[in-house]
Each structure stands twice: as structure tokens, then as C-alpha cells.
Amino acid sequence: EGRFRDTGLHYDRYLREVIDFLEKDPHFREKLHNTDMEDIKQGKLAKELDFVSHHVRTKLDELKRQEVNRLRTLIKLKQDANGEKGMTVDHQALLKQFEHLNNMNPHTFEVEDLDRLIKSATNDLDNFDKERHEDFKKYEMAKEHDRKEHLKTLDEDARKKEEEHFEELKKKHADHPKINHPGSQDQLKEVWEEADGLDPNDFDPKTFFKLHDTNGDGYFDEQELEALFTKELEKVYDPTHEEDDMMEMEEERLRMREHVMNEVDTNKDRLVSLDEFITATNRKEFLEPDGWETLEQNPIYTEEELREFEEHLAREEQDLNLKTNDLMKQREELERQQEQLNAQKMENK
């Protein structure tokens, strides 16, 4: 299995196919596993492409041609869609989609292509989590905005009832068993006991790692790590409860994963090796962790951010109303012209 799996990037499939194929080359595979992530980011690995067998190179050329065609189709569809809306196409923005390969040469896969692919992927993946947090914040602000708008439509009694209900739900949501610190011995032991059905006294980090490295490649990737937090998250979130929001559960899962990765993934390759895992289990924080603050314990956005968000919404609505008015005027004008034409036809008969 490759080192990147379902990254959520738009060129995810190309990224995985290229890396998986390169790993089939013994020389490259050895270099990949012995090169530090910082060196990989600096482009030291890309130069090794020159030593890869002819068969692998031919396959990479083919993968690149497919990817270039996919991107061209994508751009064509965007142009058509924008054309229909009467919008001009921003070619610079579209070419940015090509940053993960050199599209000046669409036929062969060269060192520069591998270099660009590695740099784009590491950069985009770092931003990917950031964007997820941003999207979540917007989601929460939209939720609060809708709630306030709904309150405005109610009379005083109904509004008071609604406010009380809201506060009650917040209390209910905050009332849950203690959450173990993600990645701590307490947290992993609970998985060992309840999910794996093993005796907590027999807890062994190496066995635990092997049990939960589900694809057996010797690393915990982000998905494998996130799966370990399900037990904790279920203490706080229940899909059948009105007070629990599953979008918040996924944000909490992401925060837990980022936290553990920061602590444990020392070479920053977005993977946890067995060595890194064992080293982490010997630290004081593993045995005596601090408490874990769940989402509701801290504000997700500031009052200022909410105000800016609502102003932005109001502006968007205004623009939409103006556009709608313009379209209505155009329609009335066309109807008037059509009526004139019809009248003329009647006269000419």
C-alpha cells in the first residue's frame, strides 16, 4: 500500500497511482522509505526518478497523460458552465489546478512532475485540515444565524420557550462521561478492552499497533488513527439525540487526530510508524495526561467573526435580489416586445 491514502484532494487518484507504481520499483521503494520527509519536500527524492526502470517510466507517462486529459475535461466543463452564466473564465485560477504536474509537456512524466506532485500534495494536505476547520466554523455561524432569524419570527412567549429549550439542549449535550485524553494510555486501553475484547492488564503497545494498523503497512495513517477515537466520541455524540450534532463530532475527531499527530509523528510524514508509536507510549504524557477539552468548552468563533459572517450573508442576499430584479425587468421588457410584435402581426393581417 502507498503512503498516501484517500487524501480528499482533487488529484488524489493520480497521486496514489503514481506513488503506488513507484513503490513497485525496488530502488525507488528503498529510497522512499529511507528519505526524511523534509528532504522529500526539498525535492531530493524526485531526482531518483532517473534510476527507475523503463517499464515503470512508461506506466508513469501513461498516468500523466490520463491526468492531463482529466484536467482538460474539467476546465472545459468549467468554461461551459461559466459561459452559461455569462461569467468570464479566470484562466490563472484554472491553471492553478495544474500545479501538481508540468502541463507544458503533457506527454512524459519527468523529474519535475514528481517534484511538483510531492510539493503540491504536502502543501495542499497541510491546508486541507485548515479548510475543514474554516468550513466547520462557517457551518456553526450559519446555524447560529438561522436560530436568531427564527427567533425574530416568534412572539415573546414562543421566543422565551425556544430560548429555554436551546439552553436545555446545551446542558444535555455537555453532560457526558469524562473524555480520555486522545492517544493516552487510558484512551487506548479502553479501545483494547471494549473494542478488541482484551484484558486491560495485558495491554501491550506493539500488539495494539498491529491490531489497528488495518491495512498492515506498518504505519498508522490518518484514517486508522481517527478510527481509534470512535469510542471517545460516542460518549459525547449520539445520532438519535437532538442535542448532538454529527458535524461537531467530525470536527472533534479531526482535532483529536491533529493533536495526536502533533505529539507522535516526529518526522512529520503524516504517518505514525511503530517506532514513533512505541516512543510516545514511554512518555510521561502518555501515562499521566492532562484532561481533554471538548468542543463546547471553548467558543468556536468570536462575536466579531459572527458579525462579519452575517454582514457577508446580507451583502450576498442583496446582490441576489439585485440580480433577480434585473432578470425580472429583462423578462418584462421581452414580454412587452413580444406583445408589440404580436400586435404588429395582427395589424398586418
Side-chain angles (χ1 to χ4, degrees), residues 215-226:
N215 66 347
D217 66 353
Y219 296 91
F220 276 162
D221 60 33
E222 293 175 347
Q223 282 94 337
E224 287 166 337
L225 208 51
E226 285 183 6

Side-chain angles (χ1 to χ4, degrees), residues 9-25:
L9 301 174
H10 78 87
Y11 52 91
D12 171 75
R13 189 173 162 184
Y14 172 68
L15 171 67
R16 284 193 283 164
E17 286 179 342
V18 167
I19 299 290
D20 284 349
F21 231 83
L22 281 166
E23 284 205 321
K24 292 194 167 82
D25 184 272

Side-chain angles (χ1 to χ4, degrees), residues 21 44 56 58 67 116 128 143 147 150 171 180 183-184 190 192 204 208-209 220 222 240 315 317 319 328 339 341 349:
F21 231 83
K44 289 193 180 163
V56 171
T58 313
E67 179 67 356
R116 281 180 176 223
F128 194 62
K143 209 164 78 166
R147 187 183 77 83
H150 172 62
K171 265 205 201 82
N180 289 311
S184 67
E190 212 163 285
W192 172 270
D204 171 56
F208 182 89
F209 187 91
F220 276 162
E222 293 175 347
T240 62
R315 274 198 306 276
E317 202 170 328
D319 289 350
M328 293 302 279
E339 278 167 17
L341 278 172
K349 268 191 176 173

Side-chain angles (χ1 to χ4, degrees), residues 233-234 236-246 249:
L233 294 164
E234 283 173 352
V236 187
Y237 297 95
D238 179 337
T240 62
H241 290 177
E242 187 193 350
E243 69 271 14
D244 297 339
D245 181 333
M246 294 301 114
M249 175 164 123

Side-chain angles (χ1 to χ4, degrees), residues 95-119:
L95 276 176
K96 204 169 151 33
Q97 311 246 317
F98 275 127
E99 275 186 351
H100 60 288
L101 47 75
N102 171 18
N103 64 310
M104 298 316 243
N105 157 25
H107 304 295
T108 58
F109 188 98
E110 304 297 337
V111 170
E112 190 190 344
D113 291 299
L114 185 54
D115 195 31
R116 281 180 176 223
L117 183 59
I118 290 168
K119 284 192 174 131

Side-chain angles (χ1 to χ4, degrees), residues 15-71:
L15 171 67
R16 284 193 283 164
E17 286 179 342
V18 167
I19 299 290
D20 284 349
F21 231 83
L22 281 166
E23 284 205 321
K24 292 194 167 82
D25 184 272
H27 169 83
F28 194 89
R29 188 189 172 90
E30 188 194 347
K31 286 285 180 198
L32 177 66
H33 288 283
N34 293 328
T35 308
D36 186 60
M37 198 57 192
E38 273 315 303
D39 288 345
I40 291 180
K41 283 182 190 174
Q42 296 310 319
K44 289 193 180 163
L45 189 66
K47 296 179 183 64
E48 297 297 330
L49 188 67
D50 289 334
F51 305 103
V52 165
S53 71
H54 175 71
H55 158 68
V56 171
R57 286 298 289 265
T58 313
K59 178 67 185 170
L60 292 174
D61 293 347
E62 189 188 317
L63 287 175
K64 179 176 173 183
R65 283 195 292 271
Q66 283 171 5
E67 179 67 356
V68 170
N69 287 335
R70 182 185 77 85
L71 288 166

Side-chain angles (χ1 to χ4, degrees), residues 272-287:
V272 173
S273 66
L274 177 60
D275 284 348
E276 285 172 331
F277 183 70
I278 299 295
T279 305
T281 61
N282 291 319
R283 289 198 198 116
K284 181 178 177 291
E285 296 86 55
F286 179 70
L287 303 167

